[in-house]
Amino acid sequence: MRRLRIGLRLAAMVAWLIACVPGHLVTHTLFRRRVVPPIFLAGIAFIIGVRLTRTGTLARPRAILLANHVTWLDIPILAAASGAAFVAHDGLADSRFLKWLCEMNDTVFIARTRRATVARQVEQVRAALDDAHVLVLFPEGTTNDGTGLLPLKSSLLSAIDPPPRDVQVQPVYLDYGPDARDIAWFGDEPGLENFLRILGRPGELPVNVHFLSPLAGEDLAGRKRIAEATRRALGAIGAS
């Protein structure tokens, strides 16, 4: 049954991709906007069995979301919940297929180890916000084991120090409930193995996306303050 589920879900994903690409090409050519990619990602989450609920309100009109990171599935879930574009490490650009998918959704690739690129990253983040209005950062820098938060890396927040004008910085917590450890991608597990493991899971996957209060005042006074305030907010939800 596991192999059958994987095969059926893979086939559904391929069919969904084929159905979405023409619509993306047309709408992007006509309107220069990424109308279809968030819909595509939401469909991927649905095919996998995600049943999404939301708590709280997404900040408007423009927001930078700082989210905990459990697995690759966080991306289609957050796209479904917010229509966001994403900031990702530049290692993903090494794969032509993944880079192509990411670029359709206006992903900003950042070099985590080259500090000289910070100015360029700031420009990319602000340009992405102008187009997408909502942008997601994963300040842990990598996925966790589903049971808690890793230390937040304030260096990853350099591109939003200070936050762009008229942009709210909002912590977001993805709650996978008792399934968190089962679907988490961490340690030495290859990405493909985690992908197939999630595709082979039976039943539905309930996920609650908590939109927490946007940061304000002194909590926005530099990237370290932003990281500390975000960790407090995410940790409080995770411990509840």
Side-chain angles (χ1 to χ4, degrees), residues 212-240:
L212 308 179
S213 299
L215 304 185
E218 290 299 312
D219 287 340
L220 293 172
R223 56 187 175 86
K224 291 186 177 181
R225 289 282 188 90
I226 293 173
E228 291 170 0
T230 300
R231 182 170 180 81
R232 286 197 306 270
L234 296 180
I237 293 294
S240 63

PDB file of all heavy atoms in Angstrom, residues 212-240:
ATOM      1  N   LEU A 212       1.100  34.812  14.389  1.00  0.00           N
ATOM      2  CA  LEU A 212       1.242  35.482  15.677  1.00  0.00           C
ATOM      3  C   LEU A 212       1.276  36.999  15.494  1.00  0.00           C
ATOM      4  O   LEU A 212       1.318  37.508  14.368  1.00  0.00           O
ATOM      5  CB  LEU A 212       2.504  34.982  16.372  1.00  0.00           C
ATOM      6  CG  LEU A 212       2.614  33.453  16.479  1.00  0.00           C
ATOM      7  CD1 LEU A 212       3.913  33.052  17.156  1.00  0.00           C
ATOM      8  CD2 LEU A 212       1.407  32.863  17.204  1.00  0.00           C
ATOM      9  N   SER A 213       1.274  37.713  16.593  1.00  0.00           N
ATOM     10  CA  SER A 213       1.273  39.174  16.522  1.00  0.00           C
ATOM     11  C   SER A 213       2.553  39.682  15.869  1.00  0.00           C
ATOM     12  O   SER A 213       3.653  39.214  16.209  1.00  0.00           O
ATOM     13  CB  SER A 213       1.143  39.779  17.922  1.00  0.00           C
ATOM     14  OG  SER A 213      -0.070  39.392  18.525  1.00  0.00           O
ATOM     15  N   PRO A 214       2.453  40.634  14.951  1.00  0.00           N
ATOM     16  CA  PRO A 214       3.662  41.210  14.351  1.00  0.00           C
ATOM     17  C   PRO A 214       4.545  41.858  15.414  1.00  0.00           C
ATOM     18  O   PRO A 214       4.062  42.365  16.430  1.00  0.00           O
ATOM     19  CB  PRO A 214       3.106  42.256  13.380  1.00  0.00           C
ATOM     20  CG  PRO A 214       1.715  41.796  13.070  1.00  0.00           C
ATOM     21  CD  PRO A 214       1.222  41.169  14.343  1.00  0.00           C
ATOM     22  N   LEU A 215       5.855  41.829  15.194  1.00  0.00           N
ATOM     23  CA  LEU A 215       6.794  42.462  16.110  1.00  0.00           C
ATOM     24  C   LEU A 215       6.643  43.976  16.035  1.00  0.00           C
ATOM     25  O   LEU A 215       6.276  44.533  15.001  1.00  0.00           O
ATOM     26  CB  LEU A 215       8.226  42.066  15.758  1.00  0.00           C
ATOM     27  CG  LEU A 215       8.537  40.563  15.728  1.00  0.00           C
ATOM     28  CD1 LEU A 215      10.033  40.339  15.489  1.00  0.00           C
ATOM     29  CD2 LEU A 215       8.098  39.875  17.009  1.00  0.00           C
ATOM     30  N   ALA A 216       6.953  44.621  17.139  1.00  0.00           N
ATOM     31  CA  ALA A 216       6.805  46.075  17.189  1.00  0.00           C
ATOM     32  C   ALA A 216       7.823  46.650  18.155  1.00  0.00           C
ATOM     33  O   ALA A 216       8.410  45.951  18.982  1.00  0.00           O
ATOM     34  CB  ALA A 216       5.386  46.451  17.614  1.00  0.00           C
ATOM     35  N   GLY A 217       8.039  47.960  18.053  1.00  0.00           N
ATOM     36  CA  GLY A 217       8.883  48.681  19.002  1.00  0.00           C
ATOM     37  C   GLY A 217      10.310  48.169  19.053  1.00  0.00           C
ATOM     38  O   GLY A 217      10.959  47.947  18.025  1.00  0.00           O
ATOM     39  N   GLU A 218      10.805  47.951  20.284  1.00  0.00           N
ATOM     40  CA  GLU A 218      12.191  47.544  20.479  1.00  0.00           C
ATOM     41  C   GLU A 218      12.501  46.158  19.907  1.00  0.00           C
ATOM     42  O   GLU A 218      13.659  45.840  19.657  1.00  0.00           O
ATOM     43  CB  GLU A 218      12.527  47.559  21.977  1.00  0.00           C
ATOM     44  CG  GLU A 218      12.600  48.951  22.577  1.00  0.00           C
ATOM     45  CD  GLU A 218      13.682  49.780  21.905  1.00  0.00           C
ATOM     46  OE1 GLU A 218      14.808  49.288  21.739  1.00  0.00           O
ATOM     47  OE2 GLU A 218      13.384  50.932  21.535  1.00  0.00           O
ATOM     48  N   ASP A 219      11.475  45.358  19.699  1.00  0.00           N
ATOM     49  CA  ASP A 219      11.698  44.030  19.120  1.00  0.00           C
ATOM     50  C   ASP A 219      12.178  44.102  17.674  1.00  0.00           C
ATOM     51  O   ASP A 219      12.643  43.104  17.124  1.00  0.00           O
ATOM     52  CB  ASP A 219      10.407  43.195  19.173  1.00  0.00           C
ATOM     53  CG  ASP A 219      10.081  42.732  20.578  1.00  0.00           C
ATOM     54  OD1 ASP A 219      10.999  42.718  21.421  1.00  0.00           O
ATOM     55  OD2 ASP A 219       8.912  42.386  20.839  1.00  0.00           O
ATOM     56  N   LEU A 220      12.068  45.281  17.068  1.00  0.00           N
ATOM     57  CA  LEU A 220      12.538  45.463  15.692  1.00  0.00           C
ATOM     58  C   LEU A 220      13.864  46.206  15.635  1.00  0.00           C
ATOM     59  O   LEU A 220      14.330  46.548  14.546  1.00  0.00           O
ATOM     60  CB  LEU A 220      11.483  46.227  14.881  1.00  0.00           C
ATOM     61  CG  LEU A 220      10.162  45.485  14.630  1.00  0.00           C
ATOM     62  CD1 LEU A 220       9.147  46.435  14.001  1.00  0.00           C
ATOM     63  CD2 LEU A 220      10.381  44.270  13.745  1.00  0.00           C
ATOM     64  N   ALA A 221      14.481  46.440  16.782  1.00  0.00           N
ATOM     65  CA  ALA A 221      15.712  47.240  16.854  1.00  0.00           C
ATOM     66  C   ALA A 221      16.938  46.379  16.562  1.00  0.00           C
ATOM     67  O   ALA A 221      17.738  46.079  17.456  1.00  0.00           O
ATOM     68  CB  ALA A 221      15.832  47.905  18.216  1.00  0.00           C
ATOM     69  N   GLY A 222      17.080  45.952  15.332  1.00  0.00           N
ATOM     70  CA  GLY A 222      18.252  45.168  14.929  1.00  0.00           C
ATOM     71  C   GLY A 222      17.936  43.687  14.795  1.00  0.00           C
ATOM     72  O   GLY A 222      16.989  43.170  15.379  1.00  0.00           O
ATOM     73  N   ARG A 223      18.759  42.998  14.018  1.00  0.00           N
ATOM     74  CA  ARG A 223      18.483  41.594  13.704  1.00  0.00           C
ATOM     75  C   ARG A 223      18.544  40.694  14.934  1.00  0.00           C
ATOM     76  O   ARG A 223      17.805  39.710  15.019  1.00  0.00           O
ATOM     77  CB  ARG A 223      19.454  41.101  12.628  1.00  0.00           C
ATOM     78  CG  ARG A 223      20.926  41.252  12.963  1.00  0.00           C
ATOM     79  CD  ARG A 223      21.807  40.894  11.761  1.00  0.00           C
ATOM     80  NE  ARG A 223      23.215  41.138  12.006  1.00  0.00           N
ATOM     81  CZ  ARG A 223      24.032  40.277  12.578  1.00  0.00           C
ATOM     82  NH1 ARG A 223      23.574  39.092  12.956  1.00  0.00           N
ATOM     83  NH2 ARG A 223      25.307  40.559  12.768  1.00  0.00           N
ATOM     84  N   LYS A 224      19.394  41.005  15.910  1.00  0.00           N
ATOM     85  CA  LYS A 224      19.460  40.166  17.109  1.00  0.00           C
ATOM     86  C   LYS A 224      18.195  40.297  17.936  1.00  0.00           C
ATOM     87  O   LYS A 224      17.690  39.301  18.488  1.00  0.00           O
ATOM     88  CB  LYS A 224      20.701  40.523  17.929  1.00  0.00           C
ATOM     89  CG  LYS A 224      22.005  40.130  17.244  1.00  0.00           C
ATOM     90  CD  LYS A 224      23.213  40.360  18.139  1.00  0.00           C
ATOM     91  CE  LYS A 224      24.485  39.884  17.444  1.00  0.00           C
ATOM     92  NZ  LYS A 224      25.684  40.082  18.300  1.00  0.00           N
ATOM     93  N   ARG A 225      17.667  41.509  18.034  1.00  0.00           N
ATOM     94  CA  ARG A 225      16.402  41.708  18.755  1.00  0.00           C
ATOM     95  C   ARG A 225      15.264  40.995  18.024  1.00  0.00           C
ATOM     96  O   ARG A 225      14.379  40.409  18.661  1.00  0.00           O
ATOM     97  CB  ARG A 225      16.096  43.204  18.866  1.00  0.00           C
ATOM     98  CG  ARG A 225      17.000  43.962  19.831  1.00  0.00           C
ATOM     99  CD  ARG A 225      16.574  43.732  21.280  1.00  0.00           C
ATOM    100  NE  ARG A 225      17.305  44.576  22.194  1.00  0.00           N
ATOM    101  CZ  ARG A 225      16.919  45.792  22.578  1.00  0.00           C
ATOM    102  NH1 ARG A 225      15.801  46.316  22.086  1.00  0.00           N
ATOM    103  NH2 ARG A 225      17.641  46.485  23.422  1.00  0.00           N
ATOM    104  N   ILE A 226      15.286  41.072  16.703  1.00  0.00           N
ATOM    105  CA  ILE A 226      14.253  40.392  15.915  1.00  0.00           C
ATOM    106  C   ILE A 226      14.310  38.890  16.162  1.00  0.00           C
ATOM    107  O   ILE A 226      13.285  38.234  16.368  1.00  0.00           O
ATOM    108  CB  ILE A 226      14.423  40.706  14.415  1.00  0.00           C
ATOM    109  CG1 ILE A 226      14.146  42.178  14.144  1.00  0.00           C
ATOM    110  CG2 ILE A 226      13.498  39.830  13.572  1.00  0.00           C
ATOM    111  CD1 ILE A 226      14.455  42.619  12.718  1.00  0.00           C
ATOM    112  N   ALA A 227      15.532  38.330  16.159  1.00  0.00           N
ATOM    113  CA  ALA A 227      15.693  36.889  16.390  1.00  0.00           C
ATOM    114  C   ALA A 227      15.225  36.501  17.784  1.00  0.00           C
ATOM    115  O   ALA A 227      14.532  35.481  17.956  1.00  0.00           O
ATOM    116  CB  ALA A 227      17.160  36.497  16.185  1.00  0.00           C
ATOM    117  N   GLU A 228      15.584  37.292  18.795  1.00  0.00           N
ATOM    118  CA  GLU A 228      15.185  36.983  20.174  1.00  0.00           C
ATOM    119  C   GLU A 228      13.662  37.032  20.338  1.00  0.00           C
ATOM    120  O   GLU A 228      13.057  36.142  20.947  1.00  0.00           O
ATOM    121  CB  GLU A 228      15.847  37.978  21.130  1.00  0.00           C
ATOM    122  CG  GLU A 228      17.360  37.802  21.239  1.00  0.00           C
ATOM    123  CD  GLU A 228      18.011  38.949  21.996  1.00  0.00           C
ATOM    124  OE1 GLU A 228      17.269  39.872  22.425  1.00  0.00           O
ATOM    125  OE2 GLU A 228      19.243  38.947  22.146  1.00  0.00           O
ATOM    126  N   ALA A 229      13.052  38.073  19.793  1.00  0.00           N
ATOM    127  CA  ALA A 229      11.603  38.220  19.927  1.00  0.00           C
ATOM    128  C   ALA A 229      10.870  37.111  19.175  1.00  0.00           C
ATOM    129  O   ALA A 229       9.848  36.592  19.647  1.00  0.00           O
ATOM    130  CB  ALA A 229      11.174  39.589  19.408  1.00  0.00           C
ATOM    131  N   THR A 230      11.395  36.739  18.025  1.00  0.00           N
ATOM    132  CA  THR A 230      10.769  35.673  17.247  1.00  0.00           C
ATOM    133  C   THR A 230      10.872  34.343  17.967  1.00  0.00           C
ATOM    134  O   THR A 230       9.906  33.565  18.021  1.00  0.00           O
ATOM    135  CB  THR A 230      11.426  35.573  15.856  1.00  0.00           C
ATOM    136  OG1 THR A 230      11.260  36.820  15.171  1.00  0.00           O
ATOM    137  CG2 THR A 230      10.803  34.450  15.034  1.00  0.00           C
ATOM    138  N   ARG A 231      12.021  34.077  18.560  1.00  0.00           N
ATOM    139  CA  ARG A 231      12.181  32.821  19.288  1.00  0.00           C
ATOM    140  C   ARG A 231      11.227  32.760  20.484  1.00  0.00           C
ATOM    141  O   ARG A 231      10.633  31.717  20.762  1.00  0.00           O
ATOM    142  CB  ARG A 231      13.626  32.635  19.748  1.00  0.00           C
ATOM    143  CG  ARG A 231      13.825  31.311  20.475  1.00  0.00           C
ATOM    144  CD  ARG A 231      15.276  30.971  20.730  1.00  0.00           C
ATOM    145  NE  ARG A 231      15.367  29.696  21.430  1.00  0.00           N
ATOM    146  CZ  ARG A 231      15.285  28.502  20.867  1.00  0.00           C
ATOM    147  NH1 ARG A 231      15.094  28.416  19.558  1.00  0.00           N
ATOM    148  NH2 ARG A 231      15.367  27.397  21.574  1.00  0.00           N
ATOM    149  N   ARG A 232      11.061  33.866  21.187  1.00  0.00           N
ATOM    150  CA  ARG A 232      10.114  33.888  22.314  1.00  0.00           C
ATOM    151  C   ARG A 232       8.698  33.572  21.840  1.00  0.00           C
ATOM    152  O   ARG A 232       7.984  32.790  22.452  1.00  0.00           O
ATOM    153  CB  ARG A 232      10.138  35.254  23.004  1.00  0.00           C
ATOM    154  CG  ARG A 232      11.354  35.513  23.860  1.00  0.00           C
ATOM    155  CD  ARG A 232      11.096  36.672  24.823  1.00  0.00           C
ATOM    156  NE  ARG A 232      10.641  37.876  24.130  1.00  0.00           N
ATOM    157  CZ  ARG A 232      11.455  38.806  23.658  1.00  0.00           C
ATOM    158  NH1 ARG A 232      12.764  38.680  23.788  1.00  0.00           N
ATOM    159  NH2 ARG A 232      10.954  39.891  23.065  1.00  0.00           N
ATOM    160  N   ALA A 233       8.307  34.208  20.739  1.00  0.00           N
ATOM    161  CA  ALA A 233       6.954  34.037  20.248  1.00  0.00           C
ATOM    162  C   ALA A 233       6.714  32.614  19.751  1.00  0.00           C
ATOM    163  O   ALA A 233       5.696  31.981  20.104  1.00  0.00           O
ATOM    164  CB  ALA A 233       6.678  35.034  19.122  1.00  0.00           C
ATOM    165  N   LEU A 234       7.655  32.077  18.964  1.00  0.00           N
ATOM    166  CA  LEU A 234       7.490  30.730  18.441  1.00  0.00           C
ATOM    167  C   LEU A 234       7.595  29.685  19.558  1.00  0.00           C
ATOM    168  O   LEU A 234       6.853  28.703  19.583  1.00  0.00           O
ATOM    169  CB  LEU A 234       8.542  30.440  17.372  1.00  0.00           C
ATOM    170  CG  LEU A 234       8.487  31.303  16.095  1.00  0.00           C
ATOM    171  CD1 LEU A 234       9.590  30.888  15.130  1.00  0.00           C
ATOM    172  CD2 LEU A 234       7.124  31.208  15.417  1.00  0.00           C
ATOM    173  N   GLY A 235       8.530  29.925  20.490  1.00  0.00           N
ATOM    174  CA  GLY A 235       8.702  28.991  21.595  1.00  0.00           C
ATOM    175  C   GLY A 235       7.482  28.917  22.484  1.00  0.00           C
ATOM    176  O   GLY A 235       7.137  27.844  22.993  1.00  0.00           O
ATOM    177  N   ALA A 236       6.803  30.046  22.685  1.00  0.00           N
ATOM    178  CA  ALA A 236       5.604  30.052  23.528  1.00  0.00           C
ATOM    179  C   ALA A 236       4.492  29.213  22.918  1.00  0.00           C
ATOM    180  O   ALA A 236       3.785  28.471  23.624  1.00  0.00           O
ATOM    181  CB  ALA A 236       5.134  31.489  23.739  1.00  0.00           C
ATOM    182  N   ILE A 237       4.333  29.284  21.601  1.00  0.00           N
ATOM    183  CA  ILE A 237       3.313  28.474  20.938  1.00  0.00           C
ATOM    184  C   ILE A 237       3.707  27.009  20.948  1.00  0.00           C
ATOM    185  O   ILE A 237       2.896  26.114  21.214  1.00  0.00           O
ATOM    186  CB  ILE A 237       3.096  28.949  19.487  1.00  0.00           C
ATOM    187  CG1 ILE A 237       2.471  30.341  19.471  1.00  0.00           C
ATOM    188  CG2 ILE A 237       2.212  27.973  18.727  1.00  0.00           C
ATOM    189  CD1 ILE A 237       1.061  30.386  20.035  1.00  0.00           C
ATOM    190  N   GLY A 238       4.990  26.740  20.672  1.00  0.00           N
ATOM    191  CA  GLY A 238       5.445  25.355  20.636  1.00  0.00           C
ATOM    192  C   GLY A 238       5.326  24.648  21.977  1.00  0.00           C
ATOM    193  O   GLY A 238       5.122  23.431  22.036  1.00  0.00           O
ATOM    194  N   ALA A 239       5.429  25.428  23.061  1.00  0.00           N
ATOM    195  CA  ALA A 239       5.364  24.821  24.401  1.00  0.00           C
ATOM    196  C   ALA A 239       3.931  24.681  24.909  1.00  0.00           C
ATOM    197  O   ALA A 239       3.688  24.024  25.915  1.00  0.00           O
ATOM    198  CB  ALA A 239       6.154  25.683  25.392  1.00  0.00           C
ATOM    199  N   SER A 240       2.985  25.314  24.212  1.00  0.00           N
ATOM    200  CA  SER A 240       1.596  25.302  24.686  1.00  0.00           C
ATOM    201  C   SER A 240       0.858  24.031  24.294  1.00  0.00           C
ATOM    202  O   SER A 240       1.315  23.266  23.462  1.00  0.00           O
ATOM    203  CB  SER A 240       0.860  26.516  24.131  1.00  0.00           C
ATOM    204  OG  SER A 240       0.793  26.469  22.734  1.00  0.00           O
TER     205      SER A 240
END
